[in-house]
Amino acid sequence: MQTNMRREVNEIPEAAARLLSEQKAAIAAAGRALKTADPRFFVTVARGSSDHAALFLKYAIELTAGRPVASLGPSLASIYGARLKLDGAAAIAISQSGKSPDIVAMAKAATDAGAISMALTNTIPSPLADACSHPLDICAGPEISVAATKSYVNSIVAGLAILAEWTGDAALGKAVAALPDQFAKAIALDWSGLIDDLAAAQSLYVLGRGPGLAIASEAALKFKETSGLHAEAYSSAEVLHGPVALVGPSFPVIALAARDAAEQSVTGMADGLAEKGAYACVTSEGARAAKTLPFVATGHPITDALALIVPFYGFVEAWSRARGLDPDKPVNLKKVTETR
């Protein structure tokens, strides 16, 4: 019997196509608003998988538009009542449910403080949509599995589409338009060999750089959510500052390299660890010692990184079942978390 998680992973291409089609006008409006406002910087408001989507968009905005992006802790508004000076800023709030009180409070505070605010949510109407000046329905459709998959992907697709519209980046816009087809190719990739390779693992690292670090962060969370496996995400540069001491034959490393300026660095780190006796795998054809995982090259460095999460989702769902677990029913978790 197919799990809800597997079904929803399979829906990613269709969900992305639906978003780009049905929200075309809203995406254009948000892009125009950013052109008019010309924000000096961005802030993001999110938690969990949504925060990993925000991290991805941080790198995309900084690389494409040259505007710095900072993550705001939602408790600044909901607990501490801090008043931030956000005139001249843009705010991106991301939430699948659109009703977590602390996310809504921080988004409203950003709007009230003068930021042009955008809500990326799978639920409209919702309190988050009401709190922002430009709500956008990510059109992922009903997501039953506790582990977010298609809503995570569509949050990023929506943000990238707005970014391309705002900046007039034709190459990015073309790459985003092609994502539904690229996701369909990515779903067909087979990472099942990792099931046996990681069988003895008690902990592991997932490495990446730039947008790939956001994908690594999401992957590490999914190991914890679906399989109860301790996994941590690190920059492939930052891991050298202490954490690498834990790596060994029973402490594997998955390195997520995109076809971007960091590919050689990420791949080199994976190779170096493999040469020292650790199990390491990497999504790059340039690996010497690390095991190569299949990937889809989308033709753009930013969308290339996003496509990496799709085969991972397929793998981690199968990995969870192979361990005798139900990825639809993670221990101690529920679908909607409402924090204050």
Side-chain angles (χ1 to χ4, degrees):
M1 181 178 177
Q2 192 176 66
T3 64
N4 289 321
M5 183 178 180
R6 180 70 247 187
R7 187 179 303 110
E8 288 162 8
V9 171
N10 291 344
E11 292 171 2
I12 287 174
E14 178 187 353
R18 182 169 56 244
L19 162 65
L20 295 173
S21 173
E22 295 184 5
Q23 295 299 302
K24 189 173 182 178
I27 289 167
R32 287 194 302 269
L34 288 173
K35 287 179 183 178
T36 300
D38 191 25
R40 293 173 296 164
F41 65 98
F42 280 71
V43 295
T44 63
V45 185
R47 289 199 187 280
S49 287
S50 294
D51 199 33
H52 301 153
L55 178 60
F56 192 102
L57 294 176
K58 164 189 166 66
Y59 280 108
I61 292 167
E62 291 172 344
L63 290 168
T64 302
R67 310 298 166 92
V69 183
S71 172
L72 296 182
S75 63
L76 287 172
S78 64
I79 299 295
Y80 297 104
R83 295 186 178 183
L84 303 180
K85 297 178 180 179
L86 296 176
D87 51 302
I92 302 174
I94 307 175
S95 169
Q96 190 272 339
S97 70
K99 61 181 183 180
S100 186
D102 57 349
I103 302 297
V104 174
M106 189 69 253
K108 185 178 185 303
T111 304
D112 293 345
I116 176 173
S117 56
M118 290 163 283
L120 305 182
T121 178
N122 202 32
T123 311
I124 291 181
S126 65
L128 183 63
D130 293 341
C132 295
S133 51
H134 293 276
L136 191 143
D137 188 341
I138 64 170
C139 296
E143 191 174 58
I144 300 170
S145 175
V146 172
T149 53
K150 59 180 180 171
S151 64
Y152 169 81
V153 172
N154 265 25
S155 295
I156 295 175
V157 174
L160 293 181
I162 293 171
L163 175 60
E165 186 75 27
W166 165 41
T167 60
D169 189 322
L172 178 59
K174 182 179 179 181
V176 170
L179 277 172
D181 289 338
Q182 302 290 6
F183 290 152
K185 295 176 185 176
I187 283 174
L189 297 179
D190 183 9
W191 285 20
S192 62
L194 285 178
I195 293 176
D196 290 335
D197 290 350
L198 302 180
Q202 298 299 313
S203 296
L204 59 80
Y205 287 148
V206 189
L207 306 182
R209 291 192 84 169
L213 176 58
I215 301 301
S217 298
E218 171 66 2
L221 176 62
K222 287 298 177 284
F223 271 119
K224 297 170 188 172
E225 284 182 332
T226 67
S227 307
L229 178 71
H230 178 249
E232 295 296 335
Y234 276 99
S235 159
S236 58
E238 188 67 28
V239 75
L240 289 173
H241 295 270
V244 72
L246 297 177
V247 175
S250 61
F251 198 118
V253 169
I254 299 173
L256 301 178
R259 275 16 72 201
D260 66 5
E263 180 178 11
Q264 186 175 355
S265 171
V266 176
T267 305
M269 172 59 68
D271 280 335
L273 293 172
E275 288 166 353
K276 293 177 181 177
Y279 174 85
C281 58
V282 63
T283 54
S284 174
E285 293 178 347
R288 303 183 315 274
K291 180 176 180 177
T292 297
L293 292 172
F295 57 87
V296 169
T298 68
H300 193 285
I302 292 176
T303 57
D304 190 274
L306 179 56
L308 295 175
I309 197 60
V310 178
F312 173 82
Y313 280 154
F315 150 70
V316 82
E317 185 273 343
W319 157 267
S320 176
R321 290 187 290 103
R323 290 165 67 91
L325 302 171
D326 182 351
D328 288 340
K329 298 177 181 178
V331 177
N332 297 328
L333 294 178
K334 59 182 181 178
K335 181 60 182 173
V336 178
T337 302
E338 297 188 21
T339 50
R340 296 186 181 275

